[in-house]
Amino acid sequence: MSINKVILIGILGKAPAIGQTQNGKDYANFSLATSKKWKDQSGEKQEKTSWHNISCWGSLVKVCQYLDKGSKIYLEGEIEYGTYKNKEGVEAPSVKIIAGIIDIIKGKEKEGGVDSHSESKGNGYAPKSNDIDDDLPY
């Protein structure tokens, strides 16, 4: 048996890039920041921020419509290692997280407060009343 699972709580660095593959499959990509805070030996506060590349597929992309720069989310997924060609044409290693679950902790801000569709409990998607899709697995 083996397990490939990652759990992150973080803040989006910018709005997700949402699109469709040539085969018509929906996707979203975004970066997620997580921070670690501690005091060093001299008692000085320290902080380190790590950036994670996230990819979403299928019906989970609908959740990404409610995300923007600064949105705070809970995410579960798996780590995928690969390679890509950089600007110089040299193959370089890449690491990304393929999301399986996204719960919005704090979503897009609107004038007068938080968008009512941006906070959810449990399933990561808060649909509008006319936005319910029977194909959704939850």
Side-chain angles (χ1 to χ4, degrees):
M1 186 169 98
S2 63
I3 297 174
N4 177 355
K5 185 172 186 171
V6 62
I7 298 172
L8 301 169
I9 295 177
I11 309 277
L12 271 69
K14 61 182 176 181
I18 297 174
Q20 229 176 30
T21 66
Q22 291 179 348
N23 297 334
K25 194 172 182 182
D26 292 333
Y27 71 86
N29 295 315
F30 58 90
S31 57
L32 186 71
T34 57
S35 295
K36 175 182 176 180
K37 296 179 182 182
W38 73 96
K39 288 186 181 179
D40 63 17
Q41 291 179 345
S42 64
E44 296 292 318
K45 291 182 181 179
Q46 301 293 321
E47 182 175 2
K48 179 182 179 187
T49 299
S50 297
W51 288 93
H52 312 276
N53 295 317
I54 312 296
S55 291
C56 301
W57 295 94
S59 61
L60 192 57
V61 173
K62 290 185 179 189
V63 176
C64 295
Q65 296 174 17
Y66 300 103
L67 301 177
D68 204 353
K69 179 179 181 176
S71 294
K72 187 173 187 177
I73 63 168
Y74 167 92
L75 178 144
E76 289 184 26
E78 63 181 52
I79 301 171
E80 183 177 275
Y81 297 95
T83 59
Y84 72 99
K85 289 197 177 189
N86 64 18
K87 293 177 185 175
E88 292 79 35
V90 177
E91 237 178 57
S94 70
V95 179
K96 66 180 167 182
I97 308 297
I98 308 300
I101 295 172
I102 294 176
D103 279 335
I104 302 169
I105 298 170
K106 182 180 179 193
K108 289 183 182 180
E109 294 287 332
K110 281 188 150 185
E111 278 187 47
V114 175
D115 181 348
S116 63
H117 300 294
S118 64
E119 295 188 23
S120 68
K121 302 271 189 232
N123 67 11
Y125 179 58
K128 300 175 192 167
S129 60
N130 62 353
D131 193 15
I132 296 176
D133 184 352
D134 291 335
D135 295 332
L136 293 175
Y138 44 83

